Amino acid sequence: MFQFADRIRALPPYLFADVDRRKTKAVARGVDVIDLGVGDPVEPTPSHVVRRLCEAAQDPANHRYPSYIGSLDFREAVARWYKRKAKVELNPKTQVLTLIGAKEGLAHLPWAFVNPGEPVLVPDPGYPVYRNATIMVGGIPFPVPLVEGRGFLPDLSAIPKHVARRAKLWFLNFPSNPTGAVATLDFFEEVVEFARTYGLIAVQDAAYSEITYDGFVHPSFLEAPGALEVGIEIHSLSKTYNMTGWRLGWAAGNEEVLEGLGKVKTNVDSGAFQAVQFAGIAALDGPQEPVKRQRTIYQERRDIVVEGLRDMGLKVFPPKAGCYVWCRVPEGYTSEEFVGKLIEEAGVVTTPGLGFGEGGEGYFRVSLTVPTGRLREAVERMKDLKF
Ligand SMILES: *Cc1c(COP(=O)(O)O)cnc(C)c1O
């Protein structure tokens, strides 16, 4: 009876319906399905962070409307974090904005900077929010292919000049969901150069920058000289501290970009719960042993999955960071067909690459955010598969 607005009808079809249907059917048949589809950590938030929330929730001062740009205390903690991580000096008053999770900031950014019909550069394959948030404001997502032969970094020379000139925003995501690719500081310097040349805003989504393996340290975009002039980094406590349910993140970098995002936020939300921001400070400033432990857990799981997929004869791309393993499907299958086969014949759910854009066709993604024992079992079952 009620028609959705054009902006909703313009969204691409939901690509996981087939996976969901097959999963539901397998569960109904009594199969003990192991879901390696979603990326949501199973380990709890560090206990000192939970304790800080409880304490802060008792204080009536935190029961009132928070500031839409975030409490200065939290923004100062973010500035300290950048100083420790990247030796980058930020003014917490103007160069940091609290977000209700990274997704909130990513989705609101096009509202501030993109007019109908203007292109937005999005990674392909990539997190669907960049593309869909662009569509919702009437912008045109322009997929920038992440090339297998280049370690899934984009080829900037392949971006047409006339598109780059008209584009306002450029979404980047390293470490990458879904490919696990990581960026170098050299690459970020190229990004700054490109953004400057074409006058576009670079937005680096660093949600996985602290989930790294083998001692690898992922650079911050803001370390690249000139980054503060052309863009922002968006970050989140979700993956680093197992806080997906808490909804806390930040945007840091260029003041004008943050001002634009802030203008949208004043009209849409009223900021993150202050008690959650105090807990966030405890996470950022407190002991980082839980983060180290979590890295060790993921690294063990990564090795189990990489080895298992290799034993199956598949071409797998061992990640240096992130919570996922990206893998080629065997010859003769589409990504959806192979994922369907894994569900039906092994009771294991993974994500078909096509769900992340056309550039994801021919690949599937395995999430490491399940208990290690379950992951081991999933790999054992997959190894028995004939294809
Ligand atoms: C999980 C994830 C986020 C984090 O989003 P929150 O809203 O902070 O939970 C951001 N970007 C990507 C690519 C992700 O996979």
Side-chain angles (χ1 to χ4, degrees):
M1 192 165 80
F2 299 115
Q3 278 230 329
F4 290 137
D6 294 345
R7 74 176 62 84
I8 296 297
R9 290 191 292 159
L11 292 173
Y14 178 67
L15 277 165
F16 304 121
D18 186 58
V19 173
D20 290 348
R21 192 174 47 79
R22 286 178 199 252
K23 180 183 166 184
T24 308
K25 271 167 69 180
V27 170
R29 281 202 306 275
V31 178
D32 170 28
V33 170
I34 304 177
D35 194 339
L36 311 180
V38 284
D40 190 355
V42 282
E43 286 74 27
T45 304
S47 55
H48 72 277
V49 179
V50 178
R51 275 198 305 275
R52 186 68 186 97
L53 172 75
C54 294
E55 216 175 84
Q58 306 273 1
D59 181 353
N62 293 331
H63 298 172
R64 310 188 63 206
Y65 280 124
S67 148
Y68 73 94
I69 53 171
S71 77
L72 187 57
D73 292 318
F74 179 73
R75 288 179 288 139
E76 283 171 350
V78 169
R80 283 193 294 276
W81 186 86
Y82 274 102
K83 201 165 171 180
R84 281 195 305 271
K85 176 180 168 68
K87 300 194 172 57
V88 173
E89 294 277 350
L90 294 176
N91 179 345
K93 292 203 172 99
T94 54
Q95 293 177 310
V96 182
L97 184 72
T98 305
L99 298 174
I100 310 173
K103 188 179 187 177
E104 180 262 302
L106 294 165
H108 280 147
L109 207 51
W111 293 90
F113 293 101
V114 181
N115 293 307
E118 286 176 347
V120 170
L121 306 182
V122 301
D124 180 22
Y127 185 53
V129 174
Y130 315 125
R131 176 188 64 198
N132 294 352
T134 299
I135 292 171
M136 287 216 266
V137 299
I140 317 284
F142 184 89
V144 177
L146 304 183
V147 193
E148 185 183 306
R150 302 172 59 93
F152 295 104
L153 286 180
D155 178 2
L156 304 194
S157 66
I159 302 171
K161 288 193 170 60
H162 68 278
V163 174
R165 246 180 243 122
R166 290 190 60 226
K168 282 282 191 56
L169 286 183
W170 179 14
F171 286 109
L172 299 132
N173 168 221
F174 295 101
S176 152
N177 174 9
T179 70
V182 295
T184 59
L185 197 52
D186 282 349
F187 172 73
F188 281 152
E189 285 173 16
E190 273 185 66
V191 170
V192 170
E193 188 61 38
F194 189 92
R196 205 181 256 150
T197 305
Y198 294 103
L200 45 79
I201 300 167
V203 183
Q204 147 65 357
D205 176 357
Y208 297 95
S209 76
E210 306 315 298
I211 312 285
T212 57
Y213 307 126
D214 311 313
F216 176 72
V217 177
H218 198 278
S220 160
F221 174 60
L222 302 185
E223 277 173 70
L228 287 171
E229 288 153 42
V230 298
I232 61 171
E233 183 160 86
I234 290 202
H235 211 325
S236 163
L237 281 79
S238 286
K239 311 294 163 39
T240 313
Y241 301 103
N242 299 338
M243 290 174 71
T244 49
W246 296 56
R247 315 311 306 133
L248 188 62
W250 71 76
N254 185 275
E255 299 183 17
E256 282 171 82
V257 177
L258 297 187
E259 190 188 331
L261 182 53
K263 279 191 195 300
V264 178
K265 286 175 61 63
T266 42
N267 289 290
V268 177
D269 62 61
S270 296
F273 181 25
Q274 284 190 153
V276 166
Q277 295 187 66
F278 280 114
I281 297 170
L284 294 177
D285 284 345
Q288 300 301 300
E289 275 67 33
V291 183
K292 286 186 197 136
R293 246 190 330 268
Q294 196 62 39
R295 284 186 192 122
T296 312
I297 292 173
Y298 286 137
Q299 184 166 322
E300 184 192 3
R301 291 179 193 160
R302 175 200 65 169
D303 294 343
I304 293 168
V305 171
V306 166
E307 206 178 306
L309 294 172
R310 267 193 190 139
D311 286 351
M312 289 166 69
L314 298 177
K315 181 166 188 194
V316 54
F317 306 92
K320 278 200 190 127
C323 304
Y324 311 100
V325 175
W326 189 237
C327 185
R328 263 199 170 283
V329 300
E331 254 349 286
Y333 290 87
T334 66
S335 61
E336 282 182 299
E337 283 166 359
F338 189 66
V339 164
K341 188 178 168 76
L342 286 176
I343 299 173
E344 250 129 62
E345 297 175 26
V348 175
V349 178
T350 59
T351 310
L354 185 61
F356 301 103
E358 310 233 314
E361 182 51 276
Y363 303 88
F364 68 107
R365 190 192 76 175
V366 178
S367 173
L368 305 176
T369 57
V370 287
T372 308
R374 293 291 277 167
L375 194 69
R376 250 186 239 284
E377 169 159 4
V379 168
E380 286 312 312
R381 287 194 212 163
M382 292 194 316
K383 278 189 193 164
D384 293 334
L385 221 68
K386 304 269 173 296
F387 48 84

